[in-house]
């Protein structure tokens, strides 16, 4: 659909060049096309309309990322489209069209930001779902027969899911968008997991070792996420969970 839109826009640019007298009408049509594409994309992806239209079982993070990609691409084209199409527009008629195009540009930016917010929300919901299982997992830690040297199912699950999200998004999104999304994800991980771990009742030495191991496992994962300038600390993506580890166990996870 993005390629079809690009072809249509290219044809309108050609019309504007060949028939300058139609430039005003061409810009109006381009504005309408851009509006429709943005609205329809929003309905299909954020509004989950594609589930009815094409029979998708769900709207995945990959679908959201692809929608963000095309919306960002079109958004980046609008200044060039404006520059070319406005060459033949009389000054007296430019103001109205410029304000219309400005609104469309803003709509695309808002749409892209909403998609990114949804991606962060998905990760937050997955984390909360895993956190709800944590008390039951921790119950086994205080048992005398608990000699498991691996991170808990909770730690494995949350790191697996955020790593998967990173892998999917990094194949599609620009680095600047990845950074914006994962800065929020890292913040959520630090705050929610630290809060949950702080409330746990761990008394036995093996339980404390399990908790320490989980924190370290999660922090190793957090270090790898693209959240540049998340913290002023020299350690990458340093946050509340690091402080919890240092305070509770007197240790740290480096780069």
């Amino acid at each position: 659909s993005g390629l079809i839109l690009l072809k249509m826009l290219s044809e309108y640019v050609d019309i504007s060049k060949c028939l300058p007298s139609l430039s005003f009408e061409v810009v109006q049509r381009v504005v309408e096309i851009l509006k429709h594409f943005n609205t329809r994309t929003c309905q299909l992806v954020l509004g989950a309309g594609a589930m009815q239209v094409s029979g998708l079982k769900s709207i995945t993070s990959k679908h959201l990322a692809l929608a963000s990609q095309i919306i960002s691409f079109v958004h980046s084209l609008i200044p060039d489209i404006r520059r070319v199409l406005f060459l033949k527009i009389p000054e007296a008629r430019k103001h109205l069209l410029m304000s219309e195009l400005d609104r469309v540009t803003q709509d695309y930016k808002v749409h892209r930001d909403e998609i990114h917010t949804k991606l962060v929300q998905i990760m937050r919901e997955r984390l909360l779902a895993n956190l709800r299982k944590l008390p039951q997992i921790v119950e086994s830690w205080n048992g005398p027969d608990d000699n498991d040297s691996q991170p808990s199912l909770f730690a494995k699950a949350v790191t697996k899911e955020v790593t998967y999200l990173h892998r999917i998004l990094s194949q599609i999104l620009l680095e600047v968008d990845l950074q914006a999304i994962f800065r929020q994800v890292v913040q959520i991980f630090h705050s929610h997991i630290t809060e949950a771990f702080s409330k746990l009742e761990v008394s036995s030495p093996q339980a404390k070792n399990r908790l320490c191991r989980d924190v370290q496992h999660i922090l190793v994962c957090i270090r790898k996420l693209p959240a540049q300038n998340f913290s002023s600390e020299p350690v990458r993506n340093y946050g509340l969970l690091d402080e919890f580890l240092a305070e509770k166990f007197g240790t740290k996870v480096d780069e």
Side-chain angles (χ1 to χ4, degrees), residues 75-253:
H75 180 264
S76 70
L77 288 179
I78 292 177
D80 290 326
I81 293 171
R82 178 210 298 263
R83 180 178 52 79
V84 173
L85 293 183
F86 276 48
L87 288 174
K88 307 295 183 180
I89 302 289
E91 285 296 327
R93 308 185 77 181
K94 277 185 181 179
H95 178 71
L96 177 62
L97 292 177
M98 286 182 70
S99 61
E100 278 287 306
L101 210 47
D102 284 343
R103 277 195 290 272
V104 172
T105 304
Q106 180 62 20
D107 287 344
Y108 271 78
K109 181 182 182 302
V110 169
H111 186 183
R112 181 192 62 199
D113 292 346
E114 287 176 347
I115 293 172
H116 294 174
T117 298
K118 182 64 176 178
L119 286 164
V120 173
Q121 182 186 340
I122 288 172
M123 196 64 253
R124 180 178 180 273
E125 289 172 354
R126 291 305 310 142
L127 175 60
L128 291 175
N130 282 302
L131 282 170
R132 285 192 287 271
K133 303 172 187 175
L134 185 59
Q136 186 178 355
I137 292 172
V138 173
E139 281 182 13
S140 65
W141 290 1
N142 289 310
D145 299 325
D146 182 61
N147 297 312
D148 192 349
S149 61
Q150 295 295 311
S152 71
L153 292 176
F154 165 77
K156 288 179 179 178
V158 295
T159 54
K160 180 181 178 181
E161 288 175 0
V162 77
T163 300
Y164 174 78
L165 181 68
H166 177 222
R167 186 170 74 250
I168 292 297
L169 299 190
S170 62
Q171 294 170 359
I172 299 170
L173 298 182
L174 296 173
E175 182 65 22
V176 64
D177 293 330
L178 274 180
Q179 295 281 350
I181 290 167
F182 279 98
R183 267 194 294 272
Q184 296 179 67
V185 171
V186 168
Q187 175 64 46
I188 288 168
F189 265 53
H190 273 298
S191 60
H192 284 60
I193 296 175
T194 301
E195 181 182 2
F197 280 175
S198 299
K199 295 176 180 177
L200 294 178
E201 295 289 338
V202 286
S203 53
S204 66
Q206 67 264 28
K208 291 178 181 178
N209 286 337
R210 291 295 299 270
L211 178 57
C212 181
R213 195 180 306 129
D214 269 18
V215 175
Q216 291 172 324
H217 181 76
I218 293 167
L219 282 173
V220 167
C221 175
I222 286 175
R223 294 285 186 266
K224 298 174 183 176
L225 298 176
Q228 191 174 354
N229 301 324
F230 172 78
S231 168
S232 59
E233 296 288 333
V235 177
R236 181 183 175 96
N237 299 341
Y238 184 95
L240 289 174
L241 200 53
D242 290 278
E243 294 174 5
F244 175 81
L245 182 66
E247 182 181 326
K248 192 88 172 177
F249 302 103
T251 186
K252 63 181 181 178
V253 172

Side-chain angles (χ1 to χ4, degrees), residues 35-45 49 53 111:
K35 282 182 180 178
H36 179 75
F37 183 83
N38 190 45
T39 300
R40 190 60 179 148
T41 303
C42 185
Q43 290 171 345
L44 289 173
V45 183
V53 173
H111 186 183

